[in-house]
């Protein structure tokens, strides 16, 4: 196994660990090992490393059990690892294409075909490619931090209001994906917002209503 392969494996395990702890505080070393497909001893080693780095906090809860919490440093590390892993993984394109294609097909099946992408990134480029084979229309990309006017053949704007009306929203932001997802769900509801699984986003329940009541 090459040094690059080992580094990518380590990133994937650490990212999966942080996502699992974020999703479920009562995760056990055994369940974590099973979810990540690694040995129990290795799961324990990665948990200890994450705690030592300050990415997770460990709290003992009787009887003889532990609860794990992701710290602010852990959330920052998860965001950094997500961006780095997506850029370097040899399987990134294939996985992203499958997951983005599935999301766009879901929008088409629900007859919500006008889609806005949230975030300028490699994922937005892949979405533009997937659009060629799926009956949806990508209206444009919203990215407040981008200085581009176009990307992957699509207009880039800083505010949603600067694009024509849309029916669905796909998260393609790889650095602040959770924040982008939460903001869009609060505004439009979970049924109209999707994100590729590889972003490791904590998803809202389907059918949840936007806070505005729209």
């Amino acid at each position: 196994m090459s040094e690059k392969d080992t580094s990518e494996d380590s990133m994937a395990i650490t990212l999966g660990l942080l996502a699992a702890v974020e999703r479920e505080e009562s995760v056990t070393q055994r369940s974590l090992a099973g979810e990540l497909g690694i040995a129990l001893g290795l799961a324990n080693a990665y948990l200890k490393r994450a705690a030592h780095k300050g990415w997770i906090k460990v709290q003992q809860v009787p009887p003889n059990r532990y609860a794990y919490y992701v710290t602010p440093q852990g959330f920052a590390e998860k965001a950094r690892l997500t961006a780095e892993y997506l850029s370097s993984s040899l399987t990134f394109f294939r996985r992203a294409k499958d997951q983005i294609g599935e999301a766009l097909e879901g929008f088409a099946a629900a007859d919500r075909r006008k889609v806005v992408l949230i975030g300028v990134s490699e994922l937005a480029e892949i979405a533009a490619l997937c659009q060629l084979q799926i009956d949806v229309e990508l209206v444009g990309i919203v990215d407040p931090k981008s200085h581009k006017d176009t990307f992957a053949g699509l207009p880039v704007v800083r505010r949603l209001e600067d694009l024509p009306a849309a029916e669905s929203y796909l998260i393609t932001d790889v650095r602040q994906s959770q924040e982008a997802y939460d903001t869009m769900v609060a505004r439009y509801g979970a049924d109209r917002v999707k994100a590729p699984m590889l972003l490791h986003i904590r998803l809202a329940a389907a059918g949840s209503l936007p806070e505005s009541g729209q």
Side-chain angles (χ1 to χ4, degrees):
M1 179 179 293
S2 69
E3 182 178 345
K4 182 176 181 182
D5 290 336
T6 302
S7 176
E8 288 178 356
D9 288 344
S10 179
M11 279 194 293
I13 292 171
T14 302
L15 184 55
L17 182 152
L18 292 173
V21 172
E22 180 184 7
R23 187 171 62 249
E24 184 181 358
E25 295 172 356
S26 60
V27 65
T28 66
Q29 293 181 21
R30 190 171 299 280
S31 66
L32 186 64
E35 180 173 337
L36 299 178
I38 59 177
L40 182 60
L42 189 58
N44 181 44
Y46 270 88
L47 278 170
K48 288 182 176 180
R49 176 173 177 267
H52 178 73
K53 293 282 190 180
W55 300 335
I56 64 172
K57 181 179 179 181
V58 185
Q59 181 177 341
Q60 187 169 6
V61 288
N64 299 321
R65 299 192 65 178
Y66 297 91
Y68 302 93
Y69 306 91
V70 179
T71 66
Q73 296 97 318
F75 284 114
E77 180 66 8
K78 177 172 172 280
R80 186 193 71 80
L81 284 174
T82 297
E84 185 175 346
Y85 182 67
L86 293 186
S87 297
S88 64
S89 174
L90 296 177
T91 60
F92 165 62
F93 180 82
R94 177 173 53 81
R95 292 177 61 216
K97 184 174 182 294
D98 289 345
Q99 293 175 18
I100 288 173
E102 182 179 352
L104 295 179
E105 287 172 353
F107 289 144
D111 200 23
R112 293 173 176 162
R113 302 175 192 276
K114 293 186 176 182
V115 183
V116 167
L117 306 180
I118 309 298
V120 169
S121 71
E122 296 94 334
L123 295 182
E125 289 186 285
I126 292 172
L129 290 174
C130 290
Q131 178 197 17
L132 300 176
Q133 299 176 325
I134 302 172
D135 186 18
V136 295
E137 175 189 352
L138 298 185
V139 176
I141 308 172
V142 177
D143 192 327
K145 296 183 179 180
S146 176
H147 299 295
K148 298 178 181 294
D149 293 322
T150 61
F151 185 76
L154 299 169
V156 178
V157 299
R158 278 16 104 187
R159 306 180 309 155
L160 271 170
E161 292 76 13
D162 295 330
L163 285 176
E167 300 162 318
S168 302
Y169 305 88
L170 179 66
I171 305 302
T172 51
D173 186 326
V174 300
R175 294 196 175 273
Q176 294 180 300
S177 49
Q178 186 69 58
E179 180 181 344
Y181 177 80
D182 291 343
T183 298
M184 297 308 296
V185 168
R187 187 167 180 176
Y188 297 107
D191 288 338
R192 297 175 63 184
V193 183
K194 293 184 182 294
M197 289 180 60
L198 49 74
L199 287 176
H200 295 281
I201 286 177
R202 184 176 61 256
L203 299 178
S208 60
L209 296 175
E211 293 178 354
S212 62
Q214 295 179 353

